[in-house]
């Protein structure tokens, strides 16, 4: 998903400013997308490790809300051992 957004940004910038160096622009945008992806993963991992109980509680609340909203049971334990 991040790569597709990066490509869209590059195309938009090239379309609006034809004189830009496309190779350099592509490298810079790709680097930014990669840095944000890795950085976001690191932050998320830190939160997950430090707040595991809170994260699981919130996920459970979201799943319960979705099940109530849709009337569908997402995680059934019927018939499982």
């Amino acid at each position: 998903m991040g790569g597709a957004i990066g490509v869209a940004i590059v195309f938009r910038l090239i379309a609006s400013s034809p004189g830009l160096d496309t190779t350099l622009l592509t490298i810079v945008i790709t680097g930014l997308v990669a840095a944000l992806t890795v950085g976001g993963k690191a932050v998320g991992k830190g939160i997950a490790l430090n707040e595991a109980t809170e994260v699981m509680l919130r996920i459970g609340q979201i799943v319960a809300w979705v099940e109530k909203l849709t009337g569908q049971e997402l995680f059934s334990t019927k018939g499982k051992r």
Side-chain angles (χ1 to χ4, degrees):
M1 171 87 98
I5 293 170
V7 168
I9 291 170
V10 168
F11 281 142
R12 189 83 177 239
L13 290 171
I14 291 170
S16 65
S17 301
L20 290 175
D21 181 4
T22 57
T23 304
L24 180 61
L25 186 60
T26 303
I27 291 169
V28 169
I29 296 296
T30 302
L32 286 172
V33 168
L36 289 172
T37 302
V38 172
K41 185 176 179 180
V43 169
K45 191 173 191 176
I47 292 170
L49 289 172
N50 293 327
E51 304 290 336
T53 303
E54 183 71 20
V55 169
M56 292 307 294
L57 172 67
R58 298 294 176 205
I59 291 172
Q61 289 174 332
I62 292 168
V63 169
W65 177 77
V66 169
E67 287 181 345
K68 184 177 179 182
L69 186 69
T70 64
Q72 298 292 318
E73 192 172 336
L74 298 177
F75 298 101
S76 176
T77 57
K78 296 175 186 170
K80 295 182 181 178
R81 291 186 172 177

